[in-house]
Amino acid sequence: MYSIQNIVEYYDELFPVTTAQKRFYDELVKNYPDPVKILSLECGTGVFESILAREGFDVTGIESHADLLHAANMRKRNQLMSIRFFQMDYLDMSRFLGKSFYNIVSILDDRIMMIYDEMLLQKFFQDVRSLMTEGGSFVVSLPNFDIMQKGIPMQQLPTRASLRASLFTELWRQEDGMCFIKQNLETGNGKVLPVTEDERAYPLGSTQFKELAEKAGFSSIELFADFDKNPFTGQEDGLVALLRA
């Protein structure tokens, strides 16, 4: 069960667009002709997408949660920007979006872990590849599940915190291997609000990530510890992947 309305007010500060992230994309867009066509999957409140559109890029964002999508559309005040947002699930994107169209596709802010099944992940990678131009780039940021201990029923993922709120995420693993996510938001006055309760998730490790990418036909796979492109050693809290079609 999702209670996304509880996080909308705090979303931008809990998932901030960093200087390193902007610099990462500034380098990436130089590889493609204007206007660079960018697709953002599970785009949240659309703050990063709006930044990219203001820089002159053609931006499409899809989001499965209506409350987040509403916030993204409220941000879209300048009609001169080439940006649009759709409520759409990742399972439907290959049916409704243009094939071989996007130069850059992204799924950020750990949202890929909510694709809860290995077969769905394989389809997801294949669908992303089909939407990309030749030589296109696919950017993914996710928790580093390599450092999580096996056989422990509950593990805490890194907490996201701002001056006004903290987001606590727990990964629960059943005996059959199925995993679920529980997220609670704690506000500055100590109030605890549910965000995600018993929703299935998939702890995608770096080795399996590369295997799925290779099966989907990506020709190049680079793994970094962060958007500064520091080397990924397997011991960091997070993982940033850059895949090339």
Side-chain angles (χ1 to χ4, degrees):
M1 182 178 67
Y2 290 104
S3 301
I4 296 299
Q5 70 276 6
N6 290 332
I7 198 176
V8 173
E9 177 184 347
Y10 307 97
Y11 195 91
D12 293 349
E13 56 199 75
L14 292 171
F15 298 92
V17 180
T18 64
T19 300
Q21 182 177 332
K22 292 178 184 177
R23 186 166 54 243
F24 185 96
Y25 278 80
D26 285 343
E27 295 176 6
L28 203 55
V29 296
K30 294 177 183 177
N31 297 307
Y32 307 104
D34 292 330
V36 181
K37 298 175 178 64
I38 299 174
L39 172 62
S40 181
L41 310 175
E42 300 292 5
C43 63
T45 58
V47 60
F48 185 45
E49 292 69 30
S50 295
I51 291 171
L52 293 170
R54 284 197 295 271
E55 294 179 359
F57 308 122
D58 184 280
V59 181
T60 300
I62 70 170
E63 172 56 54
S64 55
H65 295 292
D67 291 304
L68 293 174
L69 183 73
H70 177 71
N73 278 314
M74 288 295 292
R75 195 185 303 277
K76 191 181 61 175
R77 299 185 183 277
N78 184 349
Q79 298 302 316
L80 298 178
M81 294 192 306
S82 183
I83 185 170
R84 77 253 352 129
F85 295 106
F86 303 108
Q87 185 171 2
M88 189 183 302
D89 190 272
Y90 65 90
L91 291 174
D92 297 321
M93 63 185 183
S94 65
R95 294 171 54 202
F96 297 109
L97 299 178
K99 300 290 180 63
S100 303
F101 183 79
Y102 300 97
N103 304 120
I104 301 172
V105 181
S106 306
I107 181 165
L108 307 179
D109 299 335
D110 306 339
R111 298 289 294 274
I112 194 173
M113 70 180 179
M114 304 310 292
I115 303 175
Y116 55 83
D117 178 87
E118 184 176 354
M119 291 185 64
L120 291 177
L121 276 166
Q122 184 64 70
K123 180 183 185 305
F124 173 76
F125 275 83
Q126 291 171 345
D127 286 350
V128 168
R129 177 65 183 83
S130 74
L131 297 173
M132 295 169 60
T133 58
E134 287 303 317
S137 298
F138 180 32
V139 183
V140 186
S141 66
L142 68 158
N144 175 20
F145 289 107
D146 292 351
I147 61 176
M148 300 190 70
Q149 300 180 44
K150 308 299 182 184
I152 297 178
M154 191 283 284
Q155 296 196 52
Q156 188 88 34
L157 273 63
T159 300
R160 289 184 174 270
S162 69
L163 290 175
R164 299 193 304 149
S166 297
L167 179 65
F168 300 96
T169 302
E170 297 173 352
L171 179 71
W172 289 82
R173 190 189 304 268
Q174 296 183 163
E175 290 185 0
D176 61 3
M178 194 175 293
C179 293
F180 295 84
I181 285 288
K182 178 180 180 181
Q183 292 179 308
N184 286 318
L185 181 82
E186 183 175 348
T187 64
N189 61 11
K191 187 176 183 179
V192 178
L193 303 170
V195 176
T196 307
E197 182 73 29
D198 294 334
E199 286 292 333
R200 287 184 63 184
Y202 195 93
L204 181 59
S206 62
T207 298
Q208 189 180 20
F209 183 98
K210 290 188 286 188
E211 291 173 352
L212 289 167
E214 289 171 357
K215 287 180 181 178
F218 287 94
S219 61
S220 171
I221 305 165
E222 296 179 270
L223 303 184
F224 306 106
D226 48 40
F227 282 110
D228 280 319
K229 294 187 177 180
N230 287 311
F232 177 74
T233 68
Q235 301 303 311
E236 296 78 15
D237 286 338
L239 166 64
V240 173
L242 174 58
L243 284 57
R244 304 276 190 177

